Amino acid sequence: GWTPLAHLESLTAARATSLLRSGANLHEGEPTPLQRAEGGEGEAAALVRRAAAPWSPASHSLFPAPARACAVALMWIGHRIAYRSELGALSDVWREHVVPHAVARERSGPLVA
């Protein structure tokens, strides 16, 4: 069966964003919301595709609250390390290469409560 997020044609951007932020699973159902979005048009499909990509500042708002909190905590840690070591460029590397690998939409465990 389809999940609410799979009904891309009838979703507003606001509703799709709300579902994504609430933790809607991109891989649940047949076809999955992500499968439907890959071939779909419109804002809802574009939001699902963006939410499926690794975490970035541009996709941050589409992740569930625990993942967003994890990203914020990790960014704070990266900033503190860069500040203490006087390596300002480390913040950029941290944001672009570390945080995307540590933050996931659907992960449970020590990084995302």
Side-chain angles (χ1 to χ4, degrees):
W2 285 16
T3 64
L5 188 59
H7 297 274
L8 298 172
E9 296 81 9
S10 62
L11 288 177
T12 64
R15 178 67 177 140
T17 298
S18 175
L19 289 168
L20 291 165
R21 288 174 62 93
S22 296
N25 190 325
L26 304 179
H27 307 285
E28 184 179 347
E30 188 57 43
T32 69
L34 182 56
Q35 289 170 333
R36 299 207 67 239
E38 286 171 348
E41 295 180 12
E43 287 183 271
L47 288 168
V48 169
R49 288 190 301 269
R50 201 166 93 208
W55 178 91
S56 72
S59 65
H60 179 82
S61 66
L62 300 175
F63 277 67
R68 292 192 314 270
C70 178
V72 169
L74 287 167
M75 288 300 300
W76 185 84
I77 290 167
H79 175 75
R80 294 299 297 164
I81 292 170
Y83 176 76
R84 289 193 182 261
S85 63
E86 298 181 8
L87 295 171
L90 178 63
S91 290
D92 295 336
V93 172
W94 189 268
R95 180 186 62 245
E96 300 299 321
H97 300 285
V98 175
V99 179
H101 290 286
V103 176
R105 291 190 55 78
E106 298 157 354
R107 176 185 297 149
S108 61
L111 290 178
V112 179

